Amino acid sequence: MLMLSLNHELGIVPALLMLIAQSAGAAIADVTVDALVAQNSITHPPLAADMQSLCGFSSSVGALLGFSLSGLLVHSMGSQGALGLLSIPSALVLLAGILLKENRGTEFDYMQVHKKFYKAIQSMGRTLKCPEVWRPCVYIFVSLNLSLDIQGGMFYWYTDAVVGPGFSEGYIGLIYSIGSVGSLIGVLLYQSALKDYPFRSMLLWGQVLSSLAGMLDLVLVTRLNLKIGMPDYFFAVADNAVSQMVGRLQWLPLLVLCSKLCPPGTEGTFYALLMSLQNAGLLMSAWWGGLLLHMLNVTRMEFSNLWIIVLIRNTSRLVPLMLLFLVPDCDQNSTLLPAEMLHGNESTETTKNGSNQFSILVGDNSGCISPGSLC
């Protein structure tokens, strides 16, 4: 980020490689935290939802601050200066990593790393063959895949002054920053009232509410809000806040579900695999959304078919409900994995001899997230 900020003649390819490196570093830090949460979700099942709520609350607060400051920083410092400031949170993450306590394995044979890597792959393969694991994974992938991402078309419509509201880029950032309050409300609502409901009920209503919340975009695109006397900027803020709140209510149960699918000894590796599965679903949703925009000829200047795309997106969000039977019908405090996977001799022996540091990112007694600090 510092090189992007200081080098004003940097080419596209080096800049792209640096952005990829920054994203990879952030992903590694994110997966490390996820591994901690997954590990503690297994050892302390009643706190699984609380830990995900804590992570979601932190993410929502960060998004609120980031969206609130981004427009001001870009306006006052330029885009490169704003990118340079991203080195500060990266340094803070580094300091937080130094403060983590972990037990290191002794007598680790580095000459056998390839064998341990192969065993980790075998362990993940056996885990994925378990019906209690692959069935929810199929639902998660399909639900994210069919939630079409059409934000590109919506952004251009937001900024179009002829058929759209003609918002400035800075005002769009303000819309998203205020919308982050909705995400924060979603976290608080989940933590206070919804964390004990069954997975299947939460995901059912999450999909339904997501489809209904998407109808607000349809009202905005068809300009019905003006006919009822509600200005664009007020309705856009309310629309984004409701969408982020529903999105958070839909996302948190999925994270809790993923944390409970990780077998002991490979929490970090397997949770990273599940997050990659979710990212693949989101990436494909962006592809389908882009293809739909192209097929219906929605461009930077043409938006006549945008309402049809919004309607298709909202309808597609209900299709995954046909696969809801794949999700376990139990509360979010339950243990989902079979007993032989939780207390297998192989995983127990691996944990005891300290040879699992290749697949698990923290020691068993790391103390990084203590149950008492979350109660």
Side-chain angles (χ1 to χ4, degrees):
M1 292 296 100
L2 282 176
M3 293 182 67
L4 283 173
S5 176
L6 298 176
N7 194 336
H8 294 273
E9 298 180 356
L10 196 63
I12 294 179
V13 174
L16 181 61
L17 291 176
M18 291 180 186
L19 289 173
I20 292 175
Q22 190 272 341
S23 298
I28 292 172
D30 184 39
V31 170
T32 304
V33 176
D34 291 337
L36 287 166
V37 174
Q39 184 186 30
N40 283 276
S41 296
I42 295 174
T43 56
H44 308 285
L47 292 179
D50 297 306
M51 286 183 284
Q52 293 295 350
S53 297
L54 178 61
C55 292
F57 179 83
S58 303
S59 176
S60 298
V61 172
L64 177 62
L65 294 176
F67 283 124
S68 300
L69 297 176
S70 60
L72 296 175
L73 293 175
V74 171
H75 180 74
S76 60
M77 304 176 60
S79 57
Q80 285 188 294
L83 287 175
L85 287 180
L86 289 179
S87 60
I88 296 177
S90 300
L92 295 177
V93 172
L94 176 64
L95 293 177
I98 295 175
L99 296 177
L100 292 180
K101 298 179 181 179
E102 57 183 344
N103 295 331
R104 298 187 178 275
T106 58
E107 301 178 359
F108 183 81
D109 189 0
Y110 287 93
M111 301 301 296
Q112 303 296 322
V113 167
H114 64 286
K115 293 183 179 180
K116 298 180 185 299
F117 182 73
Y118 180 69
K119 289 181 178 179
I121 294 178
Q122 286 184 319
S123 176
M124 288 193 297
R126 288 193 299 268
T127 303
L128 286 173
K129 292 179 181 179
C130 178
E132 289 84 354
V133 176
W134 69 260
R135 288 162 61 93
C137 288
V138 170
Y139 174 81
I140 292 172
F141 178 76
V142 172
S143 64
L144 295 175
N145 196 345
L146 294 180
S147 182
L148 304 181
D149 184 0
I150 58 171
Q151 287 303 312
M154 290 298 298
F155 175 82
Y156 288 124
W157 182 83
Y158 273 138
T159 57
D160 190 274
V162 179
V163 298
F167 294 148
S168 65
E169 288 81 355
Y171 189 79
I172 293 178
L174 179 62
I175 291 176
Y176 283 112
S177 66
I178 299 177
S180 299
V181 177
S183 176
L184 194 59
I185 294 174
V187 173
L188 298 176
L189 183 61
Y190 173 81
Q191 173 65 19
S192 60
L194 301 175
K195 65 177 182 179
D196 295 324
Y197 279 78
F199 283 112
R200 196 174 293 181
S201 298
M202 284 295 300
L203 296 179
L204 168 64
W205 288 108
Q207 291 292 139
V208 173
L209 291 176
S210 178
S211 178
L212 294 177
M215 293 298 177
L216 295 177
D217 284 337
L218 188 62
V219 173
L220 192 60
V221 169
T222 55
R223 319 302 282 151
L224 290 177
N225 61 295
L226 295 180
K227 295 180 180 179
I228 62 177
M230 193 168 187
D232 286 330
Y233 46 88
F234 282 141
F235 196 86
V237 168
D239 176 14
N240 192 263
V242 171
S243 297
Q244 290 203 40
M245 181 185 69
V246 173
R248 185 62 69 177
L249 291 175
Q250 187 181 12
W251 187 251
L252 285 173
L254 288 179
L255 295 180
V256 176
L257 179 61
C258 288
S259 68
K260 290 183 172 291
L261 297 179
C262 300
T266 56
E267 292 94 334
T269 306
F270 200 80
Y271 200 92
L273 177 65
L274 294 178
M275 292 300 102
S276 299
L277 180 68
Q278 294 193 24
N279 289 335
L282 293 173
L283 180 61
M284 293 190 68
S285 73
W287 288 349
W288 299 134
L291 180 62
L292 189 61
L293 290 168
H294 176 72
M295 292 176 60
L296 293 181
N297 194 32
V298 174
T299 65
R300 297 187 181 187
M301 305 296 294
E302 175 59 42
F303 304 99
S304 58
N305 292 328
L306 183 58
W307 70 273
I308 300 177
I309 295 177
V310 173
L311 188 60
I312 294 175
R313 181 202 63 182
N314 299 340
T315 305
S316 69
R317 289 177 175 177
L318 297 176
V319 176
L321 294 179
M322 294 187 297
L323 299 177
L324 195 60
F325 67 93
L326 298 175
V327 178
D329 191 16
C330 58
D331 65 81
Q332 299 178 56
N333 297 321
S334 302
T335 300
L336 303 183
L337 295 179
E340 59 269 17
M341 293 185 64
L342 292 174
H343 306 291
N345 293 330
E346 181 179 354
S347 62
T348 303
E349 182 181 356
T350 304
T351 303
K352 288 182 179 180
N353 61 28
S355 63
N356 64 338
Q357 65 264 43
F358 191 82
S359 57
I360 190 171
L361 297 179
V362 292
D364 284 341
N365 298 317
S366 62
C368 302
I369 302 180
S370 61
S373 63
L374 294 170
C375 294

